[in-house]
Amino acid sequence: MVPIFRLRTYQLVFLFYKTILLVSTVIAILLILFKVPFPVIIALKLVFIGLFFIRFMDSQYSKELVLYQNFGLSKISLLTLSFLLDLIPSVIIYLIFFP
């Protein structure tokens, strides 16, 4: 079971997420500037996380996740929590542009 109520879990997820933070934020800003509806932005972010999931299914890239797996985080929980963490800046940016 994933220890989702532990601070260490969220520190590890943020360690993973900060590698994609800049790209995801820039994509969200560009999509909002082009007036793309927010549900479409969420769907594109799900696709983005899905591509990461497919990438990490390969054993060569799966070795990059050994640190997270040693702390008990599975690929699915890591990517799901990263997606949820990614929604926070997206919602903030959306509320800034469309109050």
Side-chain angles (χ1 to χ4, degrees):
M1 184 172 141
V2 178
I4 60 171
F5 296 114
R6 293 185 184 163
L7 180 62
R8 172 69 67 191
T9 301
Y10 294 101
Q11 289 172 338
L12 290 169
V13 169
F14 184 73
L15 180 69
F16 173 77
Y17 173 68
K18 70 180 182 180
T19 61
I20 58 175
L21 174 66
L22 181 64
V23 174
S24 179
T25 305
V26 169
I27 289 172
I29 290 172
L30 289 175
L31 291 174
I32 289 172
L33 288 177
F34 287 117
K35 301 197 185 308
V36 175
F38 194 66
V40 174
I41 294 172
I42 293 174
L44 289 175
K45 287 184 179 277
L46 272 173
V47 169
F48 187 61
I49 292 294
L51 291 175
F52 265 95
F53 183 74
I54 292 171
R55 176 183 175 218
F56 290 126
M57 291 305 287
D58 185 19
S59 63
Q60 178 183 359
Y61 294 111
S62 182
K63 293 176 184 175
E64 295 176 13
L65 300 178
V66 170
L67 170 71
Y68 309 108
Q69 291 172 347
N70 284 343
F71 281 98
L73 288 172
S74 67
K75 294 174 198 173
I76 294 173
S77 64
L78 180 67
L79 292 172
T80 302
L81 289 173
S82 295
F83 172 71
L84 294 175
L85 191 63
D86 190 35
L87 285 179
I88 295 169
S90 299
V91 169
I92 292 171
I93 292 169
Y94 186 78
L95 292 175
I96 288 173
F97 284 102
F98 299 107

